[in-house]
């Protein structure tokens, strides 16, 4: 019925009803209806509506970003004001924009109630409209279709073009707010893509094969690979490259002392700690701030923190601490089984990997840390003894034959020493391929290597089966031992065997890495 009465009467009725409404929320909604039906009234009643919304929020919801009045401001009033030919005070416009940004950030972090569809699109619209009112060159950026790479590149280009003006408020303010909006969207997407309800991921230092030089076969270059040679991988469809872009933007808004001060203010004003704090460890990991991580991570009691500590200790070659953290991890493996990763080693100068927090993958990573450290110990004076070789053989089994190349190194070492003695052999080595290789080395065709295999487990047991120059009965016993070990392959659970090895043979691992 209201639609059928003359428009001037509609206009007067809306104003009259709004003015006489005792309920502030109803008053604001009526004013919004007035502005939508009669756009020519925005210049007159728009500022009044904004003032009412700000005052009502201050009295009704102090300190709470998500509330009914802020929602009306961010989702309805500002798009109307931004699109209308209305002059807005620059300071007020900036304040309103910051309130809208804070609202959307807080709303997106809440469990979604679907009251606001496509909140990021709506936020970008507000940034574009109010940014244009403020004379921001970057406002046009937010009209482009969303692309992490495109937005990051444009922000970097703007910063490069205004290097000499990064002390001016107009330049800094728009660069900072626009970068923060894009950064938080990237972090939001990154967090959603890198973890799911079923699996959580943890960023760790992984393993890098040398990048082929000229003349060697070229490896297909990863999209947007960092110039410093950092490659990020994961075991899911999403590689995790959003982290590199987030770090790039984070560095951009901290690229001068003035920007750092203003960024600190924005973080406090918009309450961004809840967005940035979960990102801080990955940021430090990406930037190679290992000593900082060694100070902050011990304060966190989580499996990911323990993994990152083991990873960091490996990177700084503190193998004693690495073994301690690996033991803690092995003692608290996730219940989700998962499967071994095929992406722990890639061609790179430096490799970061988002590791699924599943039993097999975590255990595989711990074994790879230990194996890589032992491999390095082979080149140390006094390193690469039988104990190190035996421990390496045990660790190779978790994802055999991924590290089969290590077997060639071990074979050469055993052949050069003409013997191999490992008291833990029968407790932990069951992989058929490894057993066959050792058996071949023992034969005359393989070199007639002396194998000393302990009958009992435990590093200090002395009873051995000696296989060189032994009588026929002893040689037969060795064959039977090898058969018994091989029969366990595919029967004994590898994850349980390797977990037991890490937990029970900690001293053997320390000794093989010459750690006291």
């Amino acid at each position: 019925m209201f639609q059928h009465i003359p428009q001037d009467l509609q206009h007067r009725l809306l104003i009259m009803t709004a003015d006489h409404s005792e309920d502030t929320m109803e008053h604001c909604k009526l004013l919004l209806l007035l502005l939508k039906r009669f756009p020519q009234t925005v210049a007159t009643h728009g500022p009044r509506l904004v003032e009412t919304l700000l005052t009502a929020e201050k009295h009704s919801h102090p300190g709470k970003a998500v509330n009914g009045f802020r929602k009306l401001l961010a989702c309805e009033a500002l798009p109307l004001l931004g699109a209308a030919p209305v002059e807005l005070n620059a300071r007020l416009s900036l304040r309103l924009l910051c309130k809208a940004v804070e609202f959307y950030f807080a709303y997106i972090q809440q469990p979604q109630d679907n009251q606001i569809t496509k909140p990021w699109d709506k936020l970008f619209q507000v940034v574009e409209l109010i940014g244009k009112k403020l004379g921001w060159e970057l406002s046009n950026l937010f009209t482009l279709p969303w692309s992490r790479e495109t937005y990051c590149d444009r922000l970097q280009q703007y910063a490069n073009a205004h290097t000499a003006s990064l002390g001016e408020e107009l330049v800094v303010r728009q660069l900072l707010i626009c970068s923060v909006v894009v950064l938080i969207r990237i972090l939001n997407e990154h967090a959603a893509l890198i973890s799911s309800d079923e699996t959580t991921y943890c960023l760790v230092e992984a393993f890098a094969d040398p990048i082929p030089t000229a003349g060697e076969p070229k490896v297909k270059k990863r999209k947007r690979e960092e110039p410093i040679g950092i490659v990020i991988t994961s075991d899911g469809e999403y590689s995790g490259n959003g982290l590199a872009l987030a770090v790039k933007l984070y560095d951009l808004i901290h690229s001068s002392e003035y920007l750092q001060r203003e960024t600190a203010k924005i973080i406090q004003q918009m309450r961004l700690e809840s967005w940035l704090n979960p990102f801080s460890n990955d940021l430090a990991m990406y930037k190679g701030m290992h000593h900082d991580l060694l100070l902050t991570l011990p304060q966190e009691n989580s499996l990911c923190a323990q993994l990152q500590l083991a990873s960091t200790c490996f990177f700084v070659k503190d193998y004693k601490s690495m073994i301690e953290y690996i033991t803690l991890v092995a003692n608290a493996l996730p219940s989700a089984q998962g499967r071994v990763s095929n992406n722990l080693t890639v061609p790179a100068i430096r490799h970061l990997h988002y590791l699924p927090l599943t039993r097999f993958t975590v255990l595989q990573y711990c074994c790879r840390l230990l194996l890589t450290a032992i491999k390095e110990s082979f080149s140390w004076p006094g390193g690469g003894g039988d104990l190190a070789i035996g421990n390496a053989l045990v660790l190779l089994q978790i994802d055999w034959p991924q590290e089969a190349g290590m077997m060639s190194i071990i074979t050469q070492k055993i052949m050069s020493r003409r013997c191999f003695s490992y008291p833990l052999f029968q407790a932990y080595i069951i992989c058929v391929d490894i057993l066959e290789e050792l058996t071949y080395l023992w034969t005359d065709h393989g070199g007639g290597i002396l194998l000393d295999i302990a009958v009992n487990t435990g590093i200090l047991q002395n009873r051995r089966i000696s296989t060189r120059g032994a009588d026929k009965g002893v040689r037969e016993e060795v064959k039977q031992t090898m058969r018994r070990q091989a029969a366990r392959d595919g029967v004994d659970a590898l994850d349980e065997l390797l977990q037991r090895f890490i937990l029970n043979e900690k001293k053997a691992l320390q000794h093989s890495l010459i750690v006291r």
Side-chain angles (χ1 to χ4, degrees), residues 89-124:
N89 174 279
R91 188 169 294 278
L92 175 62
S93 297
L94 190 59
R95 181 186 173 203
L96 294 175
L97 177 58
C98 288
K99 280 190 168 291
V101 171
E102 184 192 7
F103 167 79
Y104 278 109
F105 284 174
Y107 176 81
I108 288 164
Q109 274 195 312
Q110 290 183 345
Q112 292 301 290
D113 55 14
N114 296 321
Q115 289 186 13
I116 303 174
T117 57
K118 298 183 178 179
W120 283 112
D121 291 351
K122 287 182 167 59
L123 171 57
F124 276 32

Side-chain angles (χ1 to χ4, degrees), residues 192-306:
L193 289 168
I194 208 64
S195 292
S196 63
D197 293 336
E198 296 81 27
T199 309
T200 303
Y201 289 78
C202 180
L203 185 68
V204 293
E205 292 280 357
F207 311 94
D209 278 337
I211 296 176
T213 55
E216 295 183 35
K218 289 186 178 179
V219 176
K220 186 178 179 181
K221 191 173 182 181
R222 282 170 168 71
K223 188 179 180 183
R224 295 192 62 81
E225 184 175 316
E226 290 299 292
I228 53 175
I230 298 178
V231 172
I232 304 174
T233 60
S234 80
D235 289 314
E237 293 181 6
Y238 169 60
S239 70
N241 73 321
L243 173 65
L245 297 172
V247 171
K248 184 177 178 181
L249 282 181
Y250 186 88
D251 286 346
L252 178 61
I253 60 176
H254 289 84
S255 56
S256 72
E257 288 187 11
Y258 182 40
L259 274 169
Q260 287 175 27
R261 288 196 301 271
E262 294 304 308
T263 297
K265 293 176 186 175
I266 287 285
I267 289 172
Q268 184 176 15
Q269 178 185 347
M270 295 186 180
R271 306 170 204 183
L272 300 181
E273 294 88 351
S274 58
W275 286 101
L276 297 177
N277 288 349
F279 165 64
S280 60
N281 287 342
D282 288 2
L283 168 74
M285 184 76 73
Y286 184 90
K287 292 170 74 68
M289 300 162 64
H290 298 105
H291 293 289
D292 290 351
L293 285 168
L294 291 174
L295 292 174
T296 58
L297 283 172
Q299 300 169 26
E300 302 179 25
N301 186 23
S302 68
L303 179 64
C304 183
Q306 305 289 5

Side-chain angles (χ1 to χ4, degrees), residues 237-455:
E237 293 181 6
Y238 169 60
S239 70
N241 73 321
L243 173 65
L245 297 172
V247 171
K248 184 177 178 181
L249 282 181
Y250 186 88
D251 286 346
L252 178 61
I253 60 176
H254 289 84
S255 56
S256 72
E257 288 187 11
Y258 182 40
L259 274 169
Q260 287 175 27
R261 288 196 301 271
E262 294 304 308
T263 297
K265 293 176 186 175
I266 287 285
I267 289 172
Q268 184 176 15
Q269 178 185 347
M270 295 186 180
R271 306 170 204 183
L272 300 181
E273 294 88 351
S274 58
W275 286 101
L276 297 177
N277 288 349
F279 165 64
S280 60
N281 287 342
D282 288 2
L283 168 74
M285 184 76 73
Y286 184 90
K287 292 170 74 68
M289 300 162 64
H290 298 105
H291 293 289
D292 290 351
L293 285 168
L294 291 174
L295 292 174
T296 58
L297 283 172
Q299 300 169 26
E300 302 179 25
N301 186 23
S302 68
L303 179 64
C304 183
Q306 305 289 5
L307 271 169
Q308 289 183 325
L309 280 164
S311 168
T312 302
C313 289
F314 166 79
F315 201 85
V316 300
K317 302 190 186 305
D318 178 3
Y319 294 141
K320 181 178 181 180
S321 298
M322 179 191 78
I323 291 173
E324 295 295 336
Y325 288 119
I326 285 175
T327 304
L328 290 173
V329 170
N331 213 19
L333 291 174
S335 55
Q337 288 293 303
R339 58 179 183 270
V340 294
S341 170
N342 293 313
N343 295 319
L344 290 185
T345 304
V346 299
I349 294 173
R350 184 163 167 245
H351 175 206
L352 296 173
H353 182 70
Y354 275 102
L355 191 76
L357 294 184
T358 58
R359 181 178 176 85
F360 258 99
T361 324
V362 168
L363 194 56
Q364 176 196 16
Y365 179 70
C366 291
C367 290
R368 190 70 65 86
L369 285 176
L370 291 165
L371 183 64
T372 308
I374 289 172
K375 181 179 179 181
E376 184 178 322
S377 77
F378 285 177
S379 62
W380 300 345
D386 281 356
L387 186 58
I389 290 171
N391 290 342
L393 290 173
V394 175
L395 296 165
L396 280 172
Q397 298 175 110
I398 187 69
D399 53 10
W400 181 267
Q402 283 195 28
E403 293 296 297
M406 180 75 169
M407 192 67 201
S408 301
I409 298 171
I410 289 172
T411 300
Q412 291 300 319
K413 279 202 162 290
I414 293 175
M415 290 180 69
S416 66
R417 297 165 69 91
R418 306 299 303 161
C419 65
F420 172 58
S421 172
Y422 188 54
L424 302 174
F425 183 89
Q426 292 186 51
Y428 298 111
I429 298 180
I430 64 172
C431 174
V432 168
D433 290 345
I434 293 174
L435 293 169
E436 286 180 349
E437 184 67 28
L438 291 174
T439 303
Y440 176 73
L441 293 178
W442 168 59
T443 65
D444 292 337
H445 291 297
I449 301 301
L450 170 66
L451 292 183
D452 281 353
I453 305 169
V455 174

